[in-house]
Amino acid sequence: MQSPLFGFAEQQTQERYALQNPQLLRVSLQGHDDVLARKGAMVAYQGLLEFDAEIQSSGQRRARAHTGEGLDLMRCHGQGTVYFANLAQYIHVVDVGHEGLTVDSSYVLALDSSLHYEVVAVDSQYGISGSGKYQIVITGTGKVALMTSGQPLMLQVTPDRYVNADADAIVAWSNGLRVQMQAQTHSSGVWRRRGSTGEGWELSFMGTGYALVQPSELLPPQGAQIGQGVRAQYGMGQQGARGQNQGNVWS
């Protein structure tokens, strides 16, 4: 058999995490610890592998019930190689070191089982109940695979150069950054988009670190579902318009 498809053959590598192409991740479990991955993200595997639902701790279950934010993961273990993908999104491997990483759970594809994660809140500058944004903080030493809708932009934040990003376009940032949610409008208008510009909530980053932004203001489809036949026009994390009362919806 002959075909240009053979140009997409498996890329051999000794790396534990290796991109086979921009939208497909290969993870080796041969002699390595387990890997945690988004449920349903496995597209193929080789070897003797098992996939089990990852049991959440009581604290993680409470946080998920209260905030809507959390990770739906499966544990992959055994001897072999597994391939992950999700809706053909772009995949990026990040080494999480001592500084840690804050990320919207909708953009996590896989991570080392040695890493720890918990839910945190980003408060609104207006102090309005329910107007914050919930994120996942990942700490420890290991790798995490993130997803973006399109090729992202990595912005450096320094003490003399802060960065503002649309709350629906931000994917992740360094844990050491100071972050505040704000809207460039007067307080009586914080529940509507900024004037007639279509812009709304944004996150302001200060300090030293990096912020990762994607060229899209929508969550992946699996994160945009709000209810029966209803979708968020823009995301604000797992809670979407349901938790924020400020996202337009359509049915």
Side-chain angles (χ1 to χ4, degrees), residues 71-128:
L71 295 174
D72 287 324
L73 299 173
M74 60 181 177
R75 179 175 290 266
C76 311
H77 55 97
Q79 298 295 312
T81 302
V82 59
Y83 300 85
F84 297 118
N86 185 66
L87 300 172
Q89 289 186 282
Y90 286 83
I91 301 171
H92 317 274
V93 179
V94 178
D95 279 302
V96 179
H98 65 277
E99 72 276 9
L101 181 72
T102 302
V103 61
D104 189 308
S105 63
S106 299
Y107 304 116
V108 176
L109 177 65
L111 70 158
D112 284 333
S113 60
S114 58
L115 292 172
H116 173 75
Y117 65 90
E118 61 182 338
V119 177
V120 298
V122 178
D123 292 329
S124 160
Q125 72 176 127
Y126 294 101
I128 299 172

